[in-house]
Amino acid sequence: MSSLSSTLRQLVVDDDVLPYVQERCPDVVPVAPPRRLPGGNLNVVWRVSCAERSLIVKYAPPYIAADPDTPLDPSRLLIEARCLRALGEGGRLGELTGTVVRPPTLIDLHPEVPVLIMEDVGPVPSFGAWLRDAGPQGRSAAAAMQGRRLGHFLGRLHATTYADDHCADAFDNRPMQETRHAVQYQGVADMLRDAGVRDAEALGRHAETVGRGLLEPGRCLTMGDLWPPSVLVAPGNDLRIIDWELAHYGRPLQDVAHWRAHLWMQIQRAPSPAVAKAIAEHRDAFLKAYAEGLGDKEEVLWDEEERRDAAIHFGAEILVRAVGPFQAGYVYAGLDVNHPAVQAAVATAAEHLRAPKAVEGTER
């Protein structure tokens, strides 16, 4: 291993990045200092402008980048690289993607550090920003179109990888699932208690049960972190799905309920009725296209148990964003627990945890 890679193993600083890129990609000619991108919690990410194209360099330290005191398995970046390879041109799952919906192209992976170099989609808006900045004319139609695209891709991804032993082995991301269980599902009781919910303990047990179940072998490949910052809108309104380090051979609910929870939050905190309406039309189109993408696998992948547990995940995801460790930088950032929007979010989350069968689908 080179001395540069040894340095990266210990600590990545901005001055390391250009020499590293030139070492790994000798045909690349950087033309400006690297720029560290904001907003990442798990990893350290830079944009490197080069003569012919710009690149993204992502480093996974053995801890949460935003919280160095919290250990985190760096093998998460190896999972992401496998996803980019599998879904890229000529990959095992490459038939699922095209110009309209795809992840970035993998350029290089140093598995021992680990550092990933990939295509830079560009300084383009995330789904949420795109929706807010779109003109009032045609906003709903465009949002619905993106819902159809995303839902169809996700349904086909889940259906194609169902009961696939190769994918089950390649995308076994248990370390990240264990982290999710500890942070998200096991934290539900504390979050509800802090928000003043009386039956917090009982609801927390519901979430923990689902979280434990998600540690078991799954049914299909899931993206794992499907929320607005992970869906970029490229020129031509094409979608680029980034940040696959939480991907796992798991259960559909961690994609479908995750996205639905974020759409609910986006609607609740929408800056105008027009934006809220567009998000709702996106949601409806997404759900319909997802079911169509599942095809004859719908009965085994989106059965009664999955819908019930999806409602519980829906509630747990709202909680971590409204009153939990991931409030900063999102739609409830800076709001006190007694703020009406936060209290409404907590009430919705609690109801989904309390009676998942009764509320399944009511967030529509």
Side-chain angles (χ1 to χ4, degrees):
M1 184 183 298
S2 70
S3 60
L4 175 62
S5 296
S6 297
T7 299
L8 282 166
R9 179 182 290 277
Q10 299 301 320
L11 174 68
V12 174
V13 296
D14 293 353
D15 290 344
D16 289 333
V17 177
L18 289 188
Y20 180 83
V21 169
Q22 292 174 313
E23 175 189 292
R24 301 293 297 186
C25 305
D27 60 326
V28 169
V29 181
V31 297
R35 185 166 72 87
R36 190 176 297 209
L37 300 183
N41 291 320
L42 302 184
N43 307 300
V44 188
V45 184
W46 295 267
R47 170 173 286 124
V48 178
S49 297
C50 303
E52 296 184 357
R53 57 181 174 174
S54 59
L55 304 174
I56 294 296
V57 178
K58 179 184 283 191
Y59 166 60
Y63 47 79
I64 294 177
D67 182 14
D69 293 331
T70 302
L72 192 64
D73 193 322
S75 68
R76 61 191 184 271
L77 212 59
L78 306 184
I79 292 289
E80 177 166 9
R82 289 174 198 157
C83 288
L84 301 191
R85 283 198 189 102
L87 290 162
E89 186 176 357
R92 181 182 178 87
L93 303 173
E95 64 177 16
L96 301 179
T97 61
T99 58
V100 174
V101 182
R102 65 172 176 85
T105 300
L106 176 67
I107 295 172
D108 179 76
L109 172 69
H110 194 316
E112 297 178 43
V113 177
V115 174
L116 186 152
I117 301 176
M118 72 184 94
E119 167 195 10
D120 181 15
V121 177
V124 298
S126 68
F127 174 78
W130 169 82
L131 201 57
R132 283 168 168 73
D133 293 341
Q137 299 300 322
R139 175 185 273 132
S140 291
M145 174 193 70
Q146 300 294 32
R148 289 190 292 273
R149 289 174 166 181
L150 186 59
H152 184 67
F153 166 76
L154 196 67
R156 291 186 67 212
L157 176 67
H158 292 171
T160 301
T161 58
Y162 170 68
D164 185 320
D165 290 341
H166 174 85
C167 287
D169 291 338
F171 301 108
D172 180 8
N173 200 3
R174 187 180 175 96
M176 291 303 291
Q177 285 294 98
E178 290 174 344
T179 298
R180 283 185 89 157
H181 180 52
V183 173
Q184 184 165 45
Y185 305 110
Q186 288 186 314
V188 160
D190 288 339
M191 288 183 276
L192 288 171
R193 191 183 307 108
D194 292 344
V197 176
R198 292 184 178 181
D199 54 344
E201 297 296 333
L203 302 187
R205 287 193 292 272
H206 294 176
E208 284 193 54
T209 298
V210 170
R212 283 194 302 272
L214 291 168
L215 296 176
E216 300 302 319
R219 303 174 183 174
C220 62
L221 175 60
T222 61
M223 188 273 171
D225 195 21
L226 195 64
W227 68 309
S230 294
V231 179
L232 306 183
V233 184
N237 281 339
D238 294 338
L239 299 181
R240 299 292 178 260
I241 304 178
I242 65 171
D243 295 339
W244 290 75
E245 61 262 34
L246 269 67
H248 177 61
Y249 198 79
R251 288 173 55 189
L253 70 92
Q254 281 191 306
D255 281 342
V256 179
H258 208 74
W259 190 242
R260 286 165 75 174
H262 282 277
L263 294 178
W264 186 92
M265 290 183 271
Q266 292 284 331
I267 289 172
Q268 190 210 24
R269 301 294 291 160
S272 71
V275 172
K277 179 176 182 291
I279 299 170
E281 295 195 10
H282 168 93
R283 176 203 58 211
D284 293 345
F286 167 82
L287 293 172
K288 181 178 179 181
Y290 175 72
E292 292 171 352
L294 287 180
D296 61 4
K297 299 298 191 298
E298 183 174 9
E299 288 188 7
V300 293
L301 283 172
W302 201 244
D303 57 13
E304 182 179 355
E305 177 189 16
E306 199 69 11
R307 294 193 299 271
R308 179 200 66 209
D309 290 352
I312 291 174
H313 177 83
F314 179 95
E317 180 61 16
I318 289 176
L319 284 175
V320 296
R321 300 292 174 178
V323 293
F326 303 138
Q327 187 198 54
Y330 202 51
V331 295
Y332 303 104
L335 300 185
D336 183 81
V337 68
N338 293 316
H339 188 281
V342 173
Q343 282 295 305
V346 170
T348 295
E351 191 59 27
H352 280 71
L353 290 156
R354 188 176 292 119
K357 286 187 177 181
V359 301
E360 191 278 317
T362 60
E363 64 271 16
R364 298 183 59 179

